[in-house]
Amino acid sequence: MTHAEFAIETKPDLEDAGLRVLYEYWLELGGAACGLPSLQSFDPLHLPRLLPNMWIIEVAPETRLFRMRLTGEDINAIYGRNIAGQYFRDIFEPSDVATIVGRYRRALGEPAVFHASGSVYAAGGRLSVGERLGLPMVGRSGGTDTLLGATIARDRFEMIAPVLVARDQPAFHRIRAANHQPVEIAGS
């Protein structure tokens, strides 16, 4: 995408067809907005097959902490409970929270498309391998405080040793967006 108000430096190399459709839809919304798309412009019915794998993360205005605003059925199944509305510290292993917060802070702050492939879940001592895409959005506050994304788990391996989140390094694809308004984000 190369509009003066909205440009991506490099395109993520997405393997999953559903993630490619999500990315292309996000690009369309960004082009129409001449910048980062607003979360309000997103129509979930545009991607019905991907909905169970989708998530929305927001920076909660009252705490400046990351909170899961919405999580699809397949994501909740990985955790064995509905994690929508919960803060990262209530979902992830304490030793992983700082790494996860750092990654999502970077995606919103630069802003950048976040793309990870490899270990995508390590919940409950189980490892899932797959692919994750996070797309910065303008949220309810008017700032760049929301990530729209999806995670596709390809293989699930039961009860293996705990996975170090830091081992699989994601790729960040910088965005130039005229409407980017960074927000303050707390550490964890």
Side-chain angles (χ1 to χ4, degrees):
M1 190 89 191
T2 57
H3 292 65
E5 303 88 8
F6 183 61
I8 314 295
E9 284 185 3
T10 58
K11 181 179 177 181
D13 185 21
L14 301 168
E15 296 173 29
D16 183 80
L19 293 182
R20 285 193 303 271
V21 169
L22 173 60
Y23 176 74
E24 293 298 326
Y25 178 51
W26 176 82
L27 282 177
E28 287 175 26
L29 294 174
C34 296
L36 293 172
S38 72
L39 185 61
Q40 291 78 12
S41 68
F42 172 70
D43 179 1
L45 297 179
H46 190 80
L47 305 162
R49 290 189 176 155
L50 196 57
L51 286 177
N53 303 95
M54 292 189 70
W55 44 263
I56 297 173
I57 295 169
E58 67 182 354
V59 178
E62 64 278 5
T63 62
R64 307 321 272 151
L65 295 171
F66 281 110
R67 172 175 57 200
M68 301 303 295
R69 181 170 171 195
L70 174 109
T71 52
E73 295 170 16
D74 288 357
I75 293 167
N76 290 328
I78 292 282
Y79 290 93
R81 61 192 163 99
N82 185 346
I83 60 171
Q86 295 186 23
Y87 290 101
F88 281 13
R89 66 177 179 229
D90 300 323
I91 301 167
F92 305 113
E93 293 295 320
S95 59
D96 292 337
V97 171
T99 300
I100 296 166
V101 166
R103 290 173 179 177
Y104 291 143
R105 178 185 283 139
R106 180 177 174 187
L108 290 178
E110 286 187 12
V113 171
F114 172 91
H115 177 235
S117 187
S119 301
V120 292
Y121 291 113
R126 293 173 292 183
L127 166 68
S128 293
V129 176
E131 190 173 17
R132 174 174 291 130
L133 178 66
L135 305 163
M137 307 279 283
V138 173
R140 296 181 281 188
S141 73
T144 309
D145 64 359
T146 303
L147 278 172
L148 169 68
T151 305
I152 307 298
R154 290 193 193 98
D155 298 305
R156 192 170 301 151
F157 303 100
E158 297 295 326
M159 303 310 291
I160 64 167
V163 175
L164 297 175
V165 169
R167 186 172 56 197
D168 289 319
Q169 295 299 318
F172 293 90
H173 305 271
R174 291 192 62 130
I175 302 164
R176 186 176 65 245
N179 64 343
H180 173 51
Q181 295 291 320
V183 298
E184 181 183 338
I185 302 170
S188 59

